Amino acid sequence: MQYFGGVTRDDSEELAQNILEMNTTRIVEWLNTRTSAVQELIAQHPEFDTARPDTIFPVVRVLEESDTQSEGYSVINKQGILANSLKLTADVGQSAYFLQAKKSLAPAVAEMSYLEQLSKYIIPVFVPVVDKDKQFGGGIAFSVTPDILMEMGKNIHVGDTGYGYVISGKGIITPTPRPSGSARISRITPRQQR
């Protein structure tokens, strides 16, 4: 009997791993299409000057209005000052994702954080503006919400009592299924995982 239990557990773990890999691939592809759209927009407008975000907002607004799965677009200058059309500002100059994109000149994804102004969790994605001399010139950021990621994975079923989750570098955000079909989100820190 123990043999069959081990086989069933191994099969379940393999199925869960395959589903996780498929979902991860789907999210990465989705994210790549979003960052590619921003990179294409930047390439079409070499006049972009992140020091003057008001000149960029009209062009970015077109992208924002056509993208129903992102949570707004912002301009970040090369010092790390974020501004958007909602008149929200922030200094992200020391943020890991900003520094990573500045160094690599490639898109970077931030840790999930809570944005009080919108009363929701967001995952910022930053696409750097690089000039013809390959110099960092700030960039354009957009945000993804856990709700969008969960919506992408809602048709994946491991079993009647399976759990879906979004993992960040600082913990696990876990929606716990309820009979009503709604989800409760709780944060599990590394200390709680022990």
mmCIF file of all heavy atoms in Angstrom, residues 33-75:
data_model
loop_
_atom_site.group_PDB
_atom_site.id
_atom_site.type_symbol
_atom_site.label_atom_id
_atom_site.label_comp_id
_atom_site.label_asym_id
_atom_site.label_seq_id
_atom_site.Cartn_x
_atom_site.Cartn_y
_atom_site.Cartn_z
ATOM 1 N N THR A 33 5.561 40.259 -23.946
ATOM 2 C CA THR A 33 4.790 41.039 -24.926
ATOM 3 C C THR A 33 4.571 42.463 -24.426
ATOM 4 O O THR A 33 4.609 43.406 -25.214
ATOM 5 C CB THR A 33 3.426 40.395 -25.260
ATOM 6 O OG1 THR A 33 2.631 40.320 -24.090
ATOM 7 C CG2 THR A 33 3.595 39.026 -25.884
ATOM 8 N N ARG A 34 4.369 42.615 -23.123
ATOM 9 C CA ARG A 34 4.169 43.961 -22.563
ATOM 10 C C ARG A 34 5.458 44.778 -22.638
ATOM 11 O O ARG A 34 5.439 45.938 -23.045
ATOM 12 C CB ARG A 34 3.712 43.885 -21.090
ATOM 13 C CG ARG A 34 2.350 43.253 -20.867
ATOM 14 C CD ARG A 34 1.271 44.058 -21.572
ATOM 15 N NE ARG A 34 -0.064 43.593 -21.352
ATOM 16 C CZ ARG A 34 -0.642 42.586 -21.985
ATOM 17 N NH1 ARG A 34 0.016 41.853 -22.829
ATOM 18 N NH2 ARG A 34 -1.907 42.273 -21.764
ATOM 19 N N THR A 35 6.571 44.181 -22.236
ATOM 20 C CA THR A 35 7.831 44.933 -22.263
ATOM 21 C C THR A 35 8.248 45.224 -23.707
ATOM 22 O O THR A 35 8.775 46.296 -23.993
ATOM 23 C CB THR A 35 8.959 44.206 -21.505
ATOM 24 O OG1 THR A 35 9.145 42.905 -22.037
ATOM 25 C CG2 THR A 35 8.661 44.124 -20.024
ATOM 26 N N SER A 36 7.969 44.299 -24.618
ATOM 27 C CA SER A 36 8.286 44.528 -26.034
ATOM 28 C C SER A 36 7.489 45.695 -26.596
ATOM 29 O O SER A 36 8.016 46.497 -27.378
ATOM 30 C CB SER A 36 8.002 43.274 -26.865
ATOM 31 O OG SER A 36 8.893 42.251 -26.526
ATOM 32 N N ALA A 37 6.229 45.803 -26.198
ATOM 33 C CA ALA A 37 5.394 46.925 -26.661
ATOM 34 C C ALA A 37 5.978 48.250 -26.178
ATOM 35 O O ALA A 37 6.022 49.227 -26.931
ATOM 36 C CB ALA A 37 3.957 46.747 -26.179
ATOM 37 N N VAL A 38 6.432 48.274 -24.937
ATOM 38 C CA VAL A 38 7.031 49.502 -24.399
ATOM 39 C C VAL A 38 8.354 49.794 -25.112
ATOM 40 O O VAL A 38 8.618 50.943 -25.494
ATOM 41 C CB VAL A 38 7.234 49.402 -22.871
ATOM 42 C CG1 VAL A 38 7.990 50.617 -22.343
ATOM 43 C CG2 VAL A 38 5.886 49.266 -22.160
ATOM 44 N N GLN A 39 9.174 48.762 -25.338
ATOM 45 C CA GLN A 39 10.440 48.961 -26.037
ATOM 46 C C GLN A 39 10.203 49.475 -27.459
ATOM 47 O O GLN A 39 10.936 50.341 -27.940
ATOM 48 C CB GLN A 39 11.242 47.657 -26.070
ATOM 49 C CG GLN A 39 11.819 47.303 -24.712
ATOM 50 C CD GLN A 39 12.412 45.903 -24.675
ATOM 51 O OE1 GLN A 39 11.880 44.969 -25.262
ATOM 52 N NE2 GLN A 39 13.513 45.755 -23.953
ATOM 53 N N GLU A 40 9.184 48.963 -28.118
ATOM 54 C CA GLU A 40 8.853 49.419 -29.468
ATOM 55 C C GLU A 40 8.411 50.876 -29.446
ATOM 56 O O GLU A 40 8.796 51.669 -30.314
ATOM 57 C CB GLU A 40 7.756 48.535 -30.056
ATOM 58 C CG GLU A 40 7.461 48.817 -31.505
ATOM 59 C CD GLU A 40 6.450 47.840 -32.083
ATOM 60 O OE1 GLU A 40 6.552 46.637 -31.801
ATOM 61 O OE2 GLU A 40 5.551 48.310 -32.815
ATOM 62 N N LEU A 41 7.612 51.236 -28.455
ATOM 63 C CA LEU A 41 7.165 52.624 -28.318
ATOM 64 C C LEU A 41 8.367 53.545 -28.114
ATOM 65 O O LEU A 41 8.451 54.608 -28.732
ATOM 66 C CB LEU A 41 6.198 52.737 -27.135
ATOM 67 C CG LEU A 41 5.592 54.107 -26.891
ATOM 68 C CD1 LEU A 41 4.573 54.426 -27.981
ATOM 69 C CD2 LEU A 41 4.937 54.150 -25.524
ATOM 70 N N ILE A 42 9.298 53.122 -27.270
ATOM 71 C CA ILE A 42 10.511 53.923 -27.028
ATOM 72 C C ILE A 42 11.314 54.062 -28.318
ATOM 73 O O ILE A 42 11.782 55.152 -28.657
ATOM 74 C CB ILE A 42 11.356 53.277 -25.906
ATOM 75 C CG1 ILE A 42 10.632 53.398 -24.557
ATOM 76 C CG2 ILE A 42 12.737 53.923 -25.830
ATOM 77 C CD1 ILE A 42 11.243 52.559 -23.448
ATOM 78 N N ALA A 43 11.460 52.970 -29.070
ATOM 79 C CA ALA A 43 12.227 52.997 -30.325
ATOM 80 C C ALA A 43 11.593 53.930 -31.351
ATOM 81 O O ALA A 43 12.299 54.575 -32.139
ATOM 82 C CB ALA A 43 12.346 51.588 -30.894
ATOM 83 N N GLN A 44 10.268 54.007 -31.354
ATOM 84 C CA GLN A 44 9.561 54.868 -32.308
ATOM 85 C C GLN A 44 9.641 56.343 -31.936
ATOM 86 O O GLN A 44 9.291 57.202 -32.744
ATOM 87 C CB GLN A 44 8.093 54.451 -32.405
ATOM 88 C CG GLN A 44 7.883 53.127 -33.068
ATOM 89 C CD GLN A 44 6.413 52.687 -33.005
ATOM 90 O OE1 GLN A 44 5.559 53.369 -32.471
ATOM 91 N NE2 GLN A 44 6.149 51.507 -33.558
ATOM 92 N N HIS A 45 10.074 56.625 -30.700
ATOM 93 C CA HIS A 45 10.120 58.014 -30.235
ATOM 94 C C HIS A 45 11.482 58.326 -29.611
ATOM 95 O O HIS A 45 11.600 58.480 -28.388
ATOM 96 C CB HIS A 45 8.999 58.266 -29.216
ATOM 97 C CG HIS A 45 7.645 58.162 -29.813
ATOM 98 N ND1 HIS A 45 7.045 59.203 -30.479
ATOM 99 C CD2 HIS A 45 6.788 57.114 -29.896
ATOM 100 C CE1 HIS A 45 5.864 58.811 -30.925
ATOM 101 N NE2 HIS A 45 5.684 57.546 -30.592
ATOM 102 N N PRO A 46 12.502 58.471 -30.441
ATOM 103 C CA PRO A 46 13.838 58.755 -29.903
ATOM 104 C C PRO A 46 13.904 60.114 -29.202
ATOM 105 O O PRO A 46 14.854 60.387 -28.481
ATOM 106 C CB PRO A 46 14.740 58.716 -31.144
ATOM 107 C CG PRO A 46 13.834 58.901 -32.310
ATOM 108 C CD PRO A 46 12.493 58.376 -31.898
ATOM 109 N N GLU A 47 12.897 60.924 -29.378
ATOM 110 C CA GLU A 47 12.867 62.234 -28.724
ATOM 111 C C GLU A 47 12.454 62.155 -27.259
ATOM 112 O O GLU A 47 12.469 63.159 -26.545
ATOM 113 C CB GLU A 47 11.907 63.179 -29.478
ATOM 114 C CG GLU A 47 10.422 62.928 -29.257
ATOM 115 C CD GLU A 47 9.819 61.795 -30.105
ATOM 116 O OE1 GLU A 47 10.553 61.092 -30.797
ATOM 117 O OE2 GLU A 47 8.591 61.638 -30.044
ATOM 118 N N PHE A 48 12.070 60.969 -26.792
ATOM 119 C CA PHE A 48 11.662 60.827 -25.393
ATOM 120 C C PHE A 48 12.727 61.409 -24.469
ATOM 121 O O PHE A 48 13.897 61.071 -24.566
ATOM 122 C CB PHE A 48 11.464 59.352 -25.020
ATOM 123 C CG PHE A 48 10.077 58.830 -25.289
ATOM 124 C CD1 PHE A 48 9.094 59.599 -25.865
ATOM 125 C CD2 PHE A 48 9.763 57.529 -24.943
ATOM 126 C CE1 PHE A 48 7.823 59.102 -26.104
ATOM 127 C CE2 PHE A 48 8.505 57.014 -25.171
ATOM 128 C CZ PHE A 48 7.530 57.803 -25.757
ATOM 129 N N ASP A 49 12.291 62.270 -23.581
ATOM 130 C CA ASP A 49 13.176 62.857 -22.587
ATOM 131 C C ASP A 49 12.526 62.619 -21.235
ATOM 132 O O ASP A 49 11.556 63.295 -20.881
ATOM 133 C CB ASP A 49 13.361 64.357 -22.863
ATOM 134 C CG ASP A 49 14.277 65.025 -21.861
ATOM 135 O OD1 ASP A 49 14.823 64.335 -20.963
ATOM 136 O OD2 ASP A 49 14.458 66.257 -21.972
ATOM 137 N N THR A 50 13.048 61.648 -20.489
ATOM 138 C CA THR A 50 12.427 61.294 -19.205
ATOM 139 C C THR A 50 12.538 62.420 -18.184
ATOM 140 O O THR A 50 11.846 62.389 -17.172
ATOM 141 C CB THR A 50 13.039 60.003 -18.633
ATOM 142 O OG1 THR A 50 14.443 60.182 -18.430
ATOM 143 C CG2 THR A 50 12.784 58.817 -19.544
ATOM 144 N N ALA A 51 13.374 63.411 -18.463
ATOM 145 C CA ALA A 51 13.455 64.577 -17.570
ATOM 146 C C ALA A 51 12.224 65.470 -17.737
ATOM 147 O O ALA A 51 11.948 66.309 -16.890
ATOM 148 C CB ALA A 51 14.731 65.372 -17.844
ATOM 149 N N ARG A 52 11.488 65.248 -18.833
ATOM 150 C CA ARG A 52 10.273 66.021 -19.106
ATOM 151 C C ARG A 52 9.112 65.042 -19.343
ATOM 152 O O ARG A 52 8.656 64.869 -20.472
ATOM 153 C CB ARG A 52 10.491 66.917 -20.321
ATOM 154 C CG ARG A 52 11.604 67.945 -20.078
ATOM 155 C CD ARG A 52 11.919 68.836 -21.267
ATOM 156 N NE ARG A 52 10.754 69.252 -22.000
ATOM 157 C CZ ARG A 52 10.676 69.222 -23.332
ATOM 158 N NH1 ARG A 52 11.683 68.811 -24.050
ATOM 159 N NH2 ARG A 52 9.578 69.618 -23.940
ATOM 160 N N PRO A 53 8.622 64.386 -18.295
ATOM 161 C CA PRO A 53 7.601 63.345 -18.453
ATOM 162 C C PRO A 53 6.307 63.820 -19.097
ATOM 163 O O PRO A 53 5.641 63.043 -19.780
ATOM 164 C CB PRO A 53 7.359 62.836 -17.033
ATOM 165 C CG PRO A 53 7.995 63.806 -16.127
ATOM 166 C CD PRO A 53 9.003 64.583 -16.906
ATOM 167 N N ASP A 54 5.942 65.098 -18.922
ATOM 168 C CA ASP A 54 4.705 65.589 -19.533
ATOM 169 C C ASP A 54 4.728 65.468 -21.048
ATOM 170 O O ASP A 54 3.681 65.355 -21.681
ATOM 171 C CB ASP A 54 4.439 67.047 -19.129
ATOM 172 C CG ASP A 54 4.004 67.172 -17.679
ATOM 173 O OD1 ASP A 54 3.591 66.137 -17.098
ATOM 174 O OD2 ASP A 54 4.086 68.279 -17.120
ATOM 175 N N THR A 55 5.929 65.476 -21.649
ATOM 176 C CA THR A 55 6.027 65.336 -23.101
ATOM 177 C C THR A 55 5.848 63.876 -23.533
ATOM 178 O O THR A 55 5.547 63.605 -24.688
ATOM 179 C CB THR A 55 7.389 65.845 -23.624
ATOM 180 O OG1 THR A 55 8.437 65.028 -23.087
ATOM 181 C CG2 THR A 55 7.613 67.300 -23.238
ATOM 182 N N ILE A 56 6.028 62.948 -22.601
ATOM 183 C CA ILE A 56 5.916 61.515 -22.901
ATOM 184 C C ILE A 56 4.510 60.990 -22.616
ATOM 185 O O ILE A 56 4.039 60.070 -23.281
ATOM 186 C CB ILE A 56 6.961 60.711 -22.091
ATOM 187 C CG1 ILE A 56 8.373 61.186 -22.456
ATOM 188 C CG2 ILE A 56 6.821 59.216 -22.337
ATOM 189 C CD1 ILE A 56 9.456 60.576 -21.592
ATOM 190 N N PHE A 57 3.833 61.580 -21.639
ATOM 191 C CA PHE A 57 2.518 61.077 -21.224
ATOM 192 C C PHE A 57 1.515 60.887 -22.363
ATOM 193 O O PHE A 57 0.821 59.877 -22.389
ATOM 194 C CB PHE A 57 1.908 61.952 -20.135
ATOM 195 C CG PHE A 57 2.597 61.862 -18.801
ATOM 196 C CD1 PHE A 57 2.635 62.950 -17.954
ATOM 197 C CD2 PHE A 57 3.206 60.687 -18.376
ATOM 198 C CE1 PHE A 57 3.265 62.883 -16.718
ATOM 199 C CE2 PHE A 57 3.841 60.600 -17.146
ATOM 200 C CZ PHE A 57 3.864 61.707 -16.318
ATOM 201 N N PRO A 58 1.408 61.823 -23.321
ATOM 202 C CA PRO A 58 0.420 61.606 -24.390
ATOM 203 C C PRO A 58 0.680 60.320 -25.198
ATOM 204 O O PRO A 58 -0.261 59.621 -25.556
ATOM 205 C CB PRO A 58 0.564 62.852 -25.277
ATOM 206 C CG PRO A 58 1.124 63.899 -24.374
ATOM 207 C CD PRO A 58 2.015 63.156 -23.416
ATOM 208 N N VAL A 59 1.928 60.007 -25.452
ATOM 209 C CA VAL A 59 2.260 58.799 -26.205
ATOM 210 C C VAL A 59 2.023 57.560 -25.345
ATOM 211 O O VAL A 59 1.457 56.564 -25.794
ATOM 212 C CB VAL A 59 3.723 58.861 -26.704
ATOM 213 C CG1 VAL A 59 4.101 57.588 -27.427
ATOM 214 C CG2 VAL A 59 3.930 60.080 -27.602
ATOM 215 N N VAL A 60 2.447 57.632 -24.098
ATOM 216 C CA VAL A 60 2.276 56.500 -23.175
ATOM 217 C C VAL A 60 0.792 56.254 -22.900
ATOM 218 O O VAL A 60 0.369 55.111 -22.732
ATOM 219 C CB VAL A 60 3.065 56.737 -21.866
ATOM 220 C CG1 VAL A 60 2.763 55.676 -20.829
ATOM 221 C CG2 VAL A 60 4.560 56.789 -22.158
ATOM 222 N N ARG A 61 0.005 57.302 -22.885
ATOM 223 C CA ARG A 61 -1.432 57.173 -22.619
ATOM 224 C C ARG A 61 -2.112 56.259 -23.646
ATOM 225 O O ARG A 61 -2.995 55.486 -23.310
ATOM 226 C CB ARG A 61 -2.098 58.544 -22.588
ATOM 227 C CG ARG A 61 -3.535 58.486 -22.060
ATOM 228 C CD ARG A 61 -4.128 59.853 -21.788
ATOM 229 N NE ARG A 61 -3.416 60.504 -20.711
ATOM 230 C CZ ARG A 61 -2.805 61.687 -20.822
ATOM 231 N NH1 ARG A 61 -2.812 62.349 -21.954
ATOM 232 N NH2 ARG A 61 -2.180 62.221 -19.795
ATOM 233 N N VAL A 62 -1.667 56.327 -24.895
ATOM 234 C CA VAL A 62 -2.225 55.452 -25.934
ATOM 235 C C VAL A 62 -1.970 53.995 -25.564
ATOM 236 O O VAL A 62 -2.874 53.152 -25.648
ATOM 237 C CB VAL A 62 -1.618 55.789 -27.321
ATOM 238 C CG1 VAL A 62 -2.046 54.772 -28.359
ATOM 239 C CG2 VAL A 62 -1.998 57.199 -27.727
ATOM 240 N N LEU A 63 -0.764 53.702 -25.138
ATOM 241 C CA LEU A 63 -0.418 52.343 -24.719
ATOM 242 C C LEU A 63 -1.238 51.945 -23.488
ATOM 243 O O LEU A 63 -1.778 50.839 -23.413
ATOM 244 C CB LEU A 63 1.079 52.261 -24.421
ATOM 245 C CG LEU A 63 1.659 50.900 -24.128
ATOM 246 C CD1 LEU A 63 1.460 49.944 -25.296
ATOM 247 C CD2 LEU A 63 3.142 51.021 -23.802
ATOM 248 N N GLU A 64 -1.337 52.850 -22.538
ATOM 249 C CA GLU A 64 -2.078 52.585 -21.306
ATOM 250 C C GLU A 64 -3.548 52.291 -21.581
ATOM 251 O O GLU A 64 -4.125 51.367 -21.006
ATOM 252 C CB GLU A 64 -1.937 53.784 -20.367
ATOM 253 C CG GLU A 64 -2.545 53.586 -19.008
ATOM 254 C CD GLU A 64 -2.181 54.709 -18.052
ATOM 255 O OE1 GLU A 64 -1.698 55.768 -18.481
ATOM 256 O OE2 GLU A 64 -2.394 54.517 -16.857
ATOM 257 N N GLU A 65 -4.159 53.053 -22.481
ATOM 258 C CA GLU A 65 -5.579 52.859 -22.789
ATOM 259 C C GLU A 65 -5.841 51.549 -23.521
ATOM 260 O O GLU A 65 -6.922 50.980 -23.419
ATOM 261 C CB GLU A 65 -6.101 54.044 -23.600
ATOM 262 C CG GLU A 65 -6.213 55.304 -22.764
ATOM 263 C CD GLU A 65 -6.533 56.545 -23.585
ATOM 264 O OE1 GLU A 65 -6.608 56.449 -24.839
ATOM 265 O OE2 GLU A 65 -6.690 57.616 -22.977
ATOM 266 N N SER A 66 -4.842 51.058 -24.249
ATOM 267 C CA SER A 66 -5.032 49.810 -24.989
ATOM 268 C C SER A 66 -4.675 48.577 -24.159
ATOM 269 O O SER A 66 -4.972 47.453 -24.559
ATOM 270 C CB SER A 66 -4.187 49.826 -26.269
ATOM 271 O OG SER A 66 -2.814 49.784 -25.943
ATOM 272 N N ASP A 67 -4.070 48.770 -23.006
ATOM 273 C CA ASP A 67 -3.609 47.660 -22.170
ATOM 274 C C ASP A 67 -4.517 47.526 -20.952
ATOM 275 O O ASP A 67 -4.356 48.237 -19.974
ATOM 276 C CB ASP A 67 -2.165 47.895 -21.743
ATOM 277 C CG ASP A 67 -1.570 46.742 -20.978
ATOM 278 O OD1 ASP A 67 -2.288 45.760 -20.701
ATOM 279 O OD2 ASP A 67 -0.376 46.811 -20.650
ATOM 280 N N THR A 68 -5.457 46.605 -21.019
ATOM 281 C CA THR A 68 -6.405 46.417 -19.922
ATOM 282 C C THR A 68 -5.856 45.522 -18.813
ATOM 283 O O THR A 68 -6.496 45.358 -17.787
ATOM 284 C CB THR A 68 -7.713 45.796 -20.439
ATOM 285 O OG1 THR A 68 -7.414 44.518 -21.035
ATOM 286 C CG2 THR A 68 -8.388 46.700 -21.454
ATOM 287 N N GLN A 69 -4.679 44.953 -19.015
ATOM 288 C CA GLN A 69 -4.133 44.036 -18.017
ATOM 289 C C GLN A 69 -2.996 44.623 -17.197
ATOM 290 O O GLN A 69 -2.411 43.926 -16.379
ATOM 291 C CB GLN A 69 -3.668 42.746 -18.694
ATOM 292 C CG GLN A 69 -4.820 41.956 -19.270
ATOM 293 C CD GLN A 69 -4.345 40.652 -19.878
ATOM 294 O OE1 GLN A 69 -3.382 40.621 -20.624
ATOM 295 N NE2 GLN A 69 -5.034 39.591 -19.538
ATOM 296 N N SER A 70 -2.688 45.879 -17.414
ATOM 297 C CA SER A 70 -1.654 46.538 -16.618
ATOM 298 C C SER A 70 -2.302 47.644 -15.810
ATOM 299 O O SER A 70 -3.366 48.136 -16.150
ATOM 300 C CB SER A 70 -0.555 47.107 -17.516
ATOM 301 O OG SER A 70 0.099 46.063 -18.197
ATOM 302 N N GLU A 71 -1.629 48.035 -14.762
ATOM 303 C CA GLU A 71 -2.190 48.989 -13.811
ATOM 304 C C GLU A 71 -1.498 50.341 -13.921
ATOM 305 O O GLU A 71 -0.898 50.822 -12.995
ATOM 306 C CB GLU A 71 -1.997 48.394 -12.408
ATOM 307 C CG GLU A 71 -2.968 48.794 -11.359
ATOM 308 C CD GLU A 71 -4.421 48.749 -11.738
ATOM 309 O OE1 GLU A 71 -4.955 47.707 -12.098
ATOM 310 O OE2 GLU A 71 -5.055 49.812 -11.632
ATOM 311 N N GLY A 72 -1.542 50.929 -15.090
ATOM 312 C CA GLY A 72 -1.001 52.266 -15.260
ATOM 313 C C GLY A 72 0.469 52.305 -15.646
ATOM 314 O O GLY A 72 1.229 51.397 -15.342
ATOM 315 N N TYR A 73 0.843 53.363 -16.324
ATOM 316 C CA TYR A 73 2.207 53.568 -16.803
ATOM 317 C C TYR A 73 2.773 54.830 -16.167
ATOM 318 O O TYR A 73 2.059 55.798 -15.943
ATOM 319 C CB TYR A 73 2.218 53.698 -18.322
ATOM 320 C CG TYR A 73 2.024 52.376 -19.023
ATOM 321 C CD1 TYR A 73 0.774 51.765 -19.089
ATOM 322 C CD2 TYR A 73 3.096 51.720 -19.607
ATOM 323 C CE1 TYR A 73 0.604 50.546 -19.724
ATOM 324 C CE2 TYR A 73 2.933 50.501 -20.244
ATOM 325 C CZ TYR A 73 1.690 49.920 -20.301
ATOM 326 O OH TYR A 73 1.527 48.706 -20.920
ATOM 327 N N SER A 74 4.069 54.797 -15.902
ATOM 328 C CA SER A 74 4.763 55.930 -15.309
ATOM 329 C C SER A 74 6.071 56.155 -16.053
ATOM 330 O O SER A 74 6.587 55.257 -16.709
ATOM 331 C CB SER A 74 5.089 55.648 -13.831
ATOM 332 O OG SER A 74 3.923 55.370 -13.100
ATOM 333 N N VAL A 75 6.596 57.355 -15.918
ATOM 334 C CA VAL A 75 7.901 57.695 -16.472
ATOM 335 C C VAL A 75 8.854 57.846 -15.292
ATOM 336 O O VAL A 75 8.520 58.466 -14.285
ATOM 337 C CB VAL A 75 7.828 59.008 -17.286
ATOM 338 C CG1 VAL A 75 9.200 59.432 -17.773
ATOM 339 C CG2 VAL A 75 6.861 58.854 -18.451
#
